[in-house]
Amino acid sequence: MLFGARPRIADDLSQRGVPSDTLIWAIGDVHGQADLLACLTRAIVTDLGQSACRRRILLLVGDYVDRGLQSREVIQHVLDLETEMEAEGGEVVCLKGNHEELLLKFLEDSTIGPDWAALGGKETLISYGVEPPPLGAKSDQWQRASTALLEHMPRDHLEFLRCLHISVTLGDFHFVHAGVRPGVPLEQQTEADALWIRDAFLADEAPLPKVVVHGHTPVHDVHVDHRRICIDTGAYATGVLSALRLENRTRMLMCAERKGRELGLSFRRL
Ligand SMILES: [Mn+2]
């Protein structure tokens, strides 16, 4: 290869696209921020409704629950969106995050309760009307909380959590909660890596077969390079929830931001 022939990173990403006749909106980690989610989805549903694309997809990269106070409302909102979108011929694709894994695990094994609570599970218990056991609570208190959560959780919420996708590939993009293990073919990735991986994926620089669109590791501003696009802007801490719009080879970013009591939307090309 002649010097200078190596494509610049930006050039490389600009050649990557989604399948033709397809419009995708991907939303980052919601973590119990139902108001920010509703603000984004209102605009997204309008945009999808105005699109002439044959496939119109709204995708969420997981971590619906924990940390924020509105986990139940977030799941209900996503279920309502599924009904609304499917009635209009659109698709809602929901990926699984590590926090959904923790919630499901807690329903089967209450001994993880203290660990889960420390990672934001306490807020999820409260949102489903279950009083979180106090610090230093005994195992039987956690067992009661686990049983109570199962009783309080609507069946369709449980079904939702159990049927989440681990990853989805569309055109040149691979959507997954946390990332991929470098050097392992996409179809051989493990669920543990898909839900939890950080440094081994983030710090690596080798090109990947697809551009990975992910969340899990909050960033101050959406991260974009030739390997990956991180759309987790830490909504529960920053008040900013982000969504990526992909059509052909164009990328747009929309953010819902909490400013005092108001919510605002901003847009930019990515
Ligand atoms: Mn996560």
Side-chain angles (χ1 to χ4, degrees):
M1 192 189 291
L2 291 170
F3 54 87
R6 185 167 170 267
R8 286 188 301 134
I9 285 169
D11 290 343
D12 189 33
L13 185 60
S14 71
Q15 297 307 309
R16 307 295 196 102
V18 296
S20 61
D21 228 6
T22 303
L23 172 58
I24 302 168
W25 274 99
I27 300 178
D29 307 38
V30 183
H31 276 310
Q33 308 291 314
D35 53 346
L36 289 172
L37 178 62
C39 179
L40 272 189
T41 58
R42 235 187 328 270
I44 291 173
V45 167
T46 303
D47 182 57
L48 289 168
Q50 289 168 350
S51 166
C53 285
R54 190 178 50 83
R55 280 193 86 182
R56 287 161 285 129
I57 302 170
L58 196 167
L59 182 147
L60 293 106
V61 299
D63 278 5
Y64 312 91
V65 301
D66 294 355
R67 305 199 199 276
L69 287 168
Q70 302 167 311
S71 292
R72 182 178 55 80
E73 290 87 342
V74 167
I75 293 185
Q76 189 57 50
H77 184 76
V78 176
L79 290 173
D80 293 344
L81 267 178
E82 281 180 353
T83 309
E84 187 184 349
M85 290 267 303
E86 277 156 23
E88 294 170 15
E91 300 164 53
V92 178
V93 176
C94 297
L95 302 183
K96 186 177 184 178
N98 57 312
H99 285 264
E100 283 73 55
E101 180 184 273
L102 289 169
L103 195 165
L104 288 169
K105 217 168 173 183
F106 176 66
L107 293 173
E108 288 176 2
D109 174 10
S110 63
T111 64
I112 73 152
D115 293 335
W116 177 49
L119 288 169
K122 195 173 135 191
E123 286 76 7
T124 300
L125 287 173
I126 294 168
S127 97
Y128 279 101
V130 177
E131 194 178 331
L135 209 64
K138 296 208 168 65
S139 60
D140 61 323
Q141 289 173 282
W142 282 107
Q143 183 51 55
R144 277 198 297 277
S146 173
T147 306
L149 180 59
L150 190 59
E151 285 168 6
H152 281 69
M153 193 173 266
R155 292 305 92 177
D156 54 350
H157 286 215
L158 197 58
E159 185 73 5
F160 169 81
L161 292 168
R162 287 179 173 157
C163 295
L164 295 166
H165 297 273
I166 302 305
S167 65
V168 173
T169 301
L170 290 155
D172 296 325
F173 294 86
H174 183 74
F175 301 83
V176 62
H177 178 64
V180 299
R181 172 82 49 191
V184 177
L186 292 180
E187 57 278 9
Q188 289 172 26
Q189 296 281 329
T190 66
E191 183 170 337
D193 281 338
L195 269 48
W196 292 93
I197 198 166
R198 282 199 214 270
D199 293 350
F201 164 59
L202 303 174
D204 198 67
E205 289 178 356
L208 294 164
K210 304 277 178 183
V211 177
V212 176
V213 177
H214 67 97
H216 188 55
T217 303
V219 280
H220 183 69
D221 196 7
V222 164
H223 174 95
V224 189
D225 65 28
H226 64 299
R227 298 172 64 242
R228 62 185 186 89
I229 301 177
C230 177
I231 55 173
D232 177 10
T233 45
Y236 72 93
T238 62
V240 181
L241 181 64
S242 300
L244 172 69
R245 184 187 194 276
L246 299 169
E247 185 176 11
N248 297 317
R249 290 174 185 167
T250 60
R251 297 178 303 278
M252 282 277 302
L253 186 72
M254 175 166 68
C255 299
E257 185 171 5
R258 189 174 291 124
K259 291 172 179 163
R261 289 185 160 202
E262 304 283 301
L263 297 181
L265 280 177
S266 62
F267 306 85
R268 66 180 155 99
R269 261 185 178 265
L270 204 63

